[in-house]
Amino acid sequence: MEEILSLFFRGVIVMFTIASTLLAGYSFQNKLRLRKVRLSWRAGKLQGYPLFATVFLGIVMGLSAIVVFTGDIARFPIFFAYVWIGTMWFISSYLASKYYITDYGIVKNINEPSQTIPWFQILDYVERPEKNGVEYLFNYSEMDKSLIEGYKQLKLFVPRNRYKAVKKIVSLKLENKIEGQAIPDIDLKRIQED
């Protein structure tokens, strides 16, 4: 029974190693596909890094260092696989958690196309000051859906050091479009007098 369990867990490690490598490759390929990137920044929970992937990689690296220093060579391949899985998970999470501002729109997650918003779909936006930056709330409409069904919102936190650059890009891409749709001022007194 022990031998069967050992084989099963080794098979699981091999599968996770392959899956994590493919996911990291997919994320890197999506990163290379982005065109005309004007700005990007880290958006993870741990000072800009992905929380779970960073913690997992740190724990595995620590345990692997203990295995290397104790000289337990029999366990080295297993811990090497764990370090590989952690590294690939970190790479894919890091690339996916970055925000990208391009000439074509806002990319919140490079691995999820539904979180890529073209500029022409954005109806309006609001800026809200936060402790360490500004939170943008973009209201947009999905393609091929009615305004009621396809109405969505995208929250985007912009760190203080990126705010001016983002503000400039957003102004260039959206100000003219949104200003042209403003409701004109109406002088109600003048209308009532007529």
Side-chain angles (χ1 to χ4, degrees):
M1 185 65 173
E2 257 184 62
E3 206 169 299
I4 292 171
L5 283 175
S6 175
L7 261 154
F8 172 75
F9 284 118
R10 287 180 187 198
V12 168
I13 288 173
V14 168
M15 295 297 283
F16 271 102
T17 303
I18 293 168
S20 65
T21 304
L22 290 174
L23 182 61
Y26 177 70
S27 298
F28 189 69
Q29 180 183 18
N30 287 340
K31 163 87 168 82
L32 293 178
R33 281 187 189 177
L34 287 178
R35 298 286 179 244
K36 296 188 178 182
V37 175
R38 297 294 176 206
L39 193 62
S40 68
W41 65 91
R42 297 188 311 243
K45 300 288 185 201
L46 190 66
Q47 294 183 346
Y49 294 99
L51 178 65
F52 295 115
T54 305
V55 170
F56 179 79
L57 184 59
I59 290 171
V60 167
M61 294 289 274
L63 292 174
S64 297
I66 292 171
V67 167
V68 168
F69 286 128
T70 59
D72 192 359
I73 296 173
R75 296 183 193 267
F76 186 73
I78 292 171
F79 276 97
F80 179 76
Y82 276 117
V83 168
W84 182 263
I85 291 168
T87 303
M88 294 298 109
W89 183 20
F90 177 82
I91 289 169
S92 61
S93 296
Y94 177 75
L95 291 174
S97 68
K98 285 181 80 171
Y99 293 150
Y100 300 91
I101 305 290
T102 71
D103 275 349
Y104 306 109
I106 301 167
V107 181
K108 189 174 178 186
N109 182 342
I110 60 172
N111 290 335
E112 195 171 327
S114 67
Q115 292 191 18
T116 299
I117 315 304
W119 292 114
F120 68 86
Q121 283 183 262
I122 297 175
L123 303 171
D124 67 347
Y125 70 95
V126 176
E127 293 179 30
R128 188 175 70 187
E130 295 275 325
K131 181 181 173 185
N132 297 323
V134 173
E135 183 179 69
Y136 276 88
L137 178 64
F138 293 98
N139 299 309
Y140 66 97
S141 178
E142 289 183 320
M143 300 280 290
D144 301 328
K145 290 189 179 178
S146 71
L147 189 57
I148 295 170
E149 290 175 11
Y151 185 79
K152 300 276 183 169
Q153 293 184 330
L154 171 70
K155 286 185 180 180
L156 187 73
F157 178 77
V158 179
R160 195 172 309 284
N161 63 345
R162 300 276 194 229
Y163 173 68
K164 286 184 181 180
V166 171
K167 176 72 174 168
K168 183 177 179 180
I169 294 169
V170 167
S171 294
L172 287 171
K173 296 294 182 180
L174 297 177
E175 288 298 323
N176 290 338
K177 176 185 157 189
I178 293 173
E179 283 177 11
Q181 297 175 357
I183 298 172
D185 290 335
I186 300 173
D187 187 1
L188 290 176
K189 287 185 180 183
R190 193 175 131 234
I191 292 173
Q192 290 173 348
E193 290 173 3
D194 291 342

